[in-house]
């Protein structure tokens, strides 16, 4: 038996600029949808995981450190949270976190790739949890760019962009025209939240996302945390609003509603995470 080969075949790695980020485990499934390569992997440390185009997206036992951070600063702080739009988020984790708030009346979840939803429901059912059967969830298998283009002004209280990296089908989710449409369809006291890559391994992309959002929305700030399965482990989410930095001040009633069952998010954590901006990023963002 070729021992070395056997050992290697038990690992799956995401490669990025001369570094690889890997998990040990067992391959369950690999297929190509019309949009991307989809892999389901059973990792020893984090349980079942989803990769899109060979990049880690989520894993059963580490997803909360991504989804809680993307959702709660927006939903705890927005003036109203009746109508939510999620672009992407086909694993269901973002919808699940939004649906924890009783005030939420409806969520349009617009995912381009039906297979991501089907495979997440089958292999990673804990991530979507009860969201899939919640009558407030309205699934749309459509292109998110077209969806926002065709919505009326002031349609949503909160917009969540839960896409993959800005290559492949998610590239346009970081474009000026898409984000301008998001501003148009967001209500005035609302908040937009997007994953905004790593300030370490995707430094320039991260800076560009924050700058673009500041131009379009007036107010935008990045928040930093750790997602151990993503390149470098250091990750960011950026929040934007129109009248003031709305996303900085969680409302008491909403904190009380969710905090007991959060693994990472708390009011205190959020404050620290906004303040954890690396000095060089702050300097870069200050340049015009
Ligand atoms: N480098 C991975 C970035 C992926 C962000 N989205 C993950 C989707 C989880 N719902």
């Amino acid at each position: 038996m070729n021992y070395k080969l056997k050992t290697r075949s038990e690992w799956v790695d995401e490669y990025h600029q001369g570094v690889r980020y890997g998990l040990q485990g067992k391959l369950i499934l690999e297929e190509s949808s019309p949009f991307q390569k989809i892999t389901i992997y059973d990792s020893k440390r984090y349980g079942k995981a989803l990769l899109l185009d060979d990049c880690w997206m989520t894993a059963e036992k580490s997803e909360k450190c991504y989804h809680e951070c993307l959702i709660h600063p927006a939903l705890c702080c927005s003036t109203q949270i009746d109508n939510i739009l999620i672009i992407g988020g086909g694993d269901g984790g973002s919808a699940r976190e939004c649906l924890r708030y009783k005030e939420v009346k409806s969520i349009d979840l617009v995912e381009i790739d039906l297979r991501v939803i089907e495979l997440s429901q089958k292999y990673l059912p804990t991530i979507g949890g009860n969201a899939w059967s919640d009558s407030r969830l309205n699934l749309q298998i459509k292109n998110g760019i077209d969806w926002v283009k065709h919505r009326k002004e002031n349609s949503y209280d909160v917009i969540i962009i839960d896409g993959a990296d800005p290559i492949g089908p998610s590239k346009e989710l970081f474009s000026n025209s898409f984000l301008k449409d998001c501003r148009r369809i967001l209500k005035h006291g609302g908040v937009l939240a997007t994953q905004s890559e790593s300030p370490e391994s995707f430094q320039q992309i991260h800076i560009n996302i924050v700058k673009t959002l500041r131009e379009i929305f007036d107010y935008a700030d990045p928040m930093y945390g750790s997602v151990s399965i993503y390149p470098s482990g250091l990750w960011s989410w950026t929040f934007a609003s129109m009248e003031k930095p709305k996303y900085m001040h969680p409302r008491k009633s909403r904190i009380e509603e969710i905090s007991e069952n959060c693994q990472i998010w708390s009011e205190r954590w959020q404050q620290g995470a906004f303040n954890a901006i690396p000095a060089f990023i702050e300097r870069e963002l200050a340049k015009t």
Side-chain angles (χ1 to χ4, degrees), residues 4 14 21 37 48 88 164 175 188 193 203 210 213 238 244 252 287:
K4 266 193 180 153
E14 172 177 342
Y21 304 91
K37 176 177 166 189
K48 299 220 182 59
S175 70
H188 199 68
Q203 201 180 108
V210 182
L213 284 168
T238 297
K244 56 184 176 188
K252 198 163 179 291
K287 292 181 192 161

Side-chain angles (χ1 to χ4, degrees), residues 56-58 66-67 89 91 162-165 195 197 230-231 235:
W56 297 107
M57 289 296 125
T58 195
Y66 172 87
H67 291 119
D91 54 57
D162 183 13
D165 304 305
Q195 75 89 0
E197 303 289 318
Y230 291 171
W235 211 251

Side-chain angles (χ1 to χ4, degrees), residues 23 41-49 59-61 124:
L23 292 179
Y41 187 69
D42 194 1
S43 71
K44 282 193 174 169
R45 184 165 172 93
Y46 297 116
K48 299 220 182 59
E60 286 172 314
K61 293 181 195 158
L124 309 159

